[in-house]
Amino acid sequence: MTDVDVVVVGAGMAGVVAARSLAARGMSVVALEAGSHTGGRIRTERRPGVRLEHGGIFHTHGYRAMARLLREVGLDRETVAVPTGFHTGLRRGGEWHHVDYGSVPGPLLTSALSVKDKVSVLRAAGPVLVSRPKDLGDLMSFAGRDSRAATDRLTPTAGGWFTAAPHEFLWGVPSDRLSEAMLALQLHVFAGELREIDGGADRLVTALAAGLDIRHDTPVEQVEDTGDGVVVHARGEQIAARRAVLACPADVTARIWAEAPAPVAAHLTIPYSRIDYVYLRTREAISLTAQGRPVGMEVVTTPEVGETTMGGIYLANSWAEHGGLLLVTAARPARAEDIDDTELADRLQADVEKYHPEVVGQITDRVVMRHQPYTPTFGPGSVRRLAAAREVLPAGNVDLAGDHMTAPWVDGAIRSGEQAADRIAGHLAG
């Protein structure tokens, strides 16, 4: 006897997509979420006169699965382009260099790289850019490039400054710890126009979750595969189901599914990054420029950090009804996890004011954010381990979703939920 057809553990983007897809096929589904909100890392915190985003903020034309879902829920006309796009100020040699990370000529036009650096970037990126990946939400599209690190064919400057800038700023991970497969897929996904959902990143996941049975504040302690179904132990109750989808971080999945097959257990050791940052509200909107050109963000990579704490600034003025808003991240070498909130805010504010004296006297409020775990770190060899894990999943009653199953951005989470739903539906039909 079963209580439902499928239990989904976790109501982040991947879990919600999996639950929605399975429910649309006529299955009874319940989602159990340990936290108090739906969306996981995607969370929009609304305060008087401002919204603060926790993750999953942006998308591009390469987010094909997300674009389809935006159309399905009627939000496709409620996305807006970020005026500065991928235009970035990259700190090198004590100066801000302009870089457009969203265009193919970007590496050729920046003064942050020498001719030798630029040649190394072109040699690494050229073969990738002419390829045709099947799924822009799945690192398996470039599994053949998983044996090297993203920096292996780059000069130290190109790897330590140029490619490291988006990786350290967006994920808190240096390029030399990432698989070349991730860099290859990123070149296709993070290009062109940068967009966000008007009014908050959480609007999509909220729309997708409408009508689903999601139970918050319900942590799962154990998932048992009984052979002919599953039993999920959550907060003193047991739920019997035909199948389960574990759509939670890898370490949580490993803890609640102790009997995972060896290839799955090996994949679930994938490490996660962390990110620490502060929102600074300002009386007036602050603008950023590099070499006289407007930029939407500034990045201070590890070789340039020195005695500072700041790793970068994102210009978020559009999220404030009045004045301005800066999202300021801590650099990895600063070890922000060892600094209390007040001191971290003080240090980051001091760094911003050092780089931008016009901010002095402008700050009216500070909010510190900390996310651990943040995103999975796909190092060399990790995509091969992921492939081995996915190969054995259809044989059991427990399946997995989450960005650690595909790629560490929103489209990856969406595709992982869809893939898990497809595998379960195929299994049950068989």
Side-chain angles (χ1 to χ4, degrees), residues 77-91:
R77 296 180 181 274
E78 298 189 44
T79 66
V80 294
V82 177
T84 50
F86 287 93
H87 292 270
T88 303
L90 177 61
R91 190 80 175 174

Side-chain angles (χ1 to χ4, degrees), residues 173-196:
V173 180
S175 297
D176 60 5
R177 287 178 52 191
L178 294 175
S179 167
E180 189 184 44
M182 185 166 167
L183 178 61
L185 190 60
Q186 182 185 337
L187 288 171
H188 287 271
V189 174
F190 293 170
E193 194 173 61
L194 189 66
R195 303 189 69 83
E196 61 181 66

Side-chain angles (χ1 to χ4, degrees), residues 43-372:
R43 179 185 174 194
T44 304
E45 187 176 339
R46 293 173 176 83
R47 300 188 177 199
V50 69
R51 76 174 193 267
L52 307 178
E53 301 284 5
H54 287 249
I57 305 166
F58 310 113
H59 62 276
T60 71
H61 74 281
Y63 285 54
R64 296 174 184 172
M66 183 174 177
R68 172 168 37 80
L69 293 182
L70 285 167
R71 290 193 298 270
E72 288 182 14
V73 301
L75 287 175
D76 54 315
R77 296 180 181 274
E78 298 189 44
T79 66
V80 294
V82 177
T84 50
F86 287 93
H87 292 270
T88 303
L90 177 61
R91 190 80 175 174
R92 186 174 178 221
E95 298 180 356
W96 294 110
H97 298 261
H98 174 269
V99 181
D100 180 9
Y101 282 101
S103 70
V104 174
L108 299 177
L109 301 177
T110 180
S111 59
L113 300 180
S114 68
V115 173
K116 183 179 179 180
D117 301 326
K118 294 174 182 179
V119 169
S120 76
V121 172
L122 288 177
R123 284 177 176 170
V128 172
L129 290 172
V130 299
S131 62
R132 291 289 183 268
K134 293 188 296 183
D135 190 341
L136 290 179
D138 193 346
L139 283 166
M140 293 296 294
S141 296
F142 284 107
R145 294 182 174 271
D146 186 45
S147 60
R148 291 189 293 260
T151 57
D152 278 2
R153 293 189 289 177
L154 301 175
T155 62
T157 298
W161 272 270
F162 182 75
T163 59
H167 297 153
E168 292 188 14
F169 184 77
L170 295 174
W171 294 297
V173 180
S175 297
D176 60 5
R177 287 178 52 191
L178 294 175
S179 167
E180 189 184 44
M182 185 166 167
L183 178 61
L185 190 60
Q186 182 185 337
L187 288 171
H188 287 271
V189 174
F190 293 170
E193 194 173 61
L194 189 66
R195 303 189 69 83
E196 61 181 66
I197 300 173
D198 193 18
D202 67 344
R203 295 184 64 198
L204 174 58
V205 72
T206 299
L208 294 173
L212 296 177
D213 183 0
I214 300 177
R215 305 176 190 177
H216 296 97
D217 301 309
T218 309
V220 169
E221 300 165 356
Q222 182 183 4
V223 175
E224 293 181 86
D225 186 340
T226 63
D228 56 356
V230 296
V231 176
V232 178
H233 301 259
R235 274 193 174 271
E237 66 172 321
Q238 298 182 6
I239 302 175
R242 300 169 69 190
R243 298 292 185 273
V245 177
L246 309 187
C248 30
D251 61 327
V252 176
T253 301
R255 175 172 52 81
I256 65 177
W257 188 25
E259 299 175 346
V264 175
H267 163 67
L268 294 178
T269 62
I270 186 170
Y272 277 69
S273 66
R274 69 171 291 138
I275 187 169
D276 303 83
Y277 56 99
V278 62
Y279 278 109
L280 301 179
R281 290 195 69 175
T282 57
R283 290 190 178 89
E284 300 175 2
I286 304 298
S287 61
L288 302 175
T289 61
Q291 296 178 308
R293 300 185 63 178
V295 297
M297 63 191 83
E298 295 177 342
V299 182
V300 183
T301 55
T302 295
E304 195 75 23
V305 169
E307 298 301 317
T308 63
T309 302
M310 189 181 91
I313 301 175
Y314 177 73
L315 200 64
N317 291 329
S318 62
W319 303 350
E321 293 179 9
H322 306 286
L325 184 66
L326 302 174
L327 187 165
V328 187
T329 65
R332 291 180 58 258
R335 296 192 61 81
E337 63 270 26
D338 299 330
I339 307 172
D340 67 37
D341 286 2
T342 300
E343 184 180 355
L344 180 62
D346 288 344
R347 289 191 189 184
L348 291 177
Q349 178 178 336
D351 288 344
V352 171
E353 292 174 344
K354 179 183 71 174
Y355 288 128
H356 301 285
E358 68 272 20
V359 175
V360 175
Q362 287 280 339
I363 296 171
T364 61
D365 192 18
R366 311 185 308 187
V367 181
V368 173
M369 300 281 189
R370 298 183 185 270
H371 293 292
Q372 169 66 26

Side-chain angles (χ1 to χ4, degrees), residues 376-395:
T377 300
F378 286 90
S382 60
V383 180
R384 292 196 302 275
R385 290 190 292 274
L386 170 60
R390 280 167 44 171
E391 187 175 347
V392 303
L393 284 174

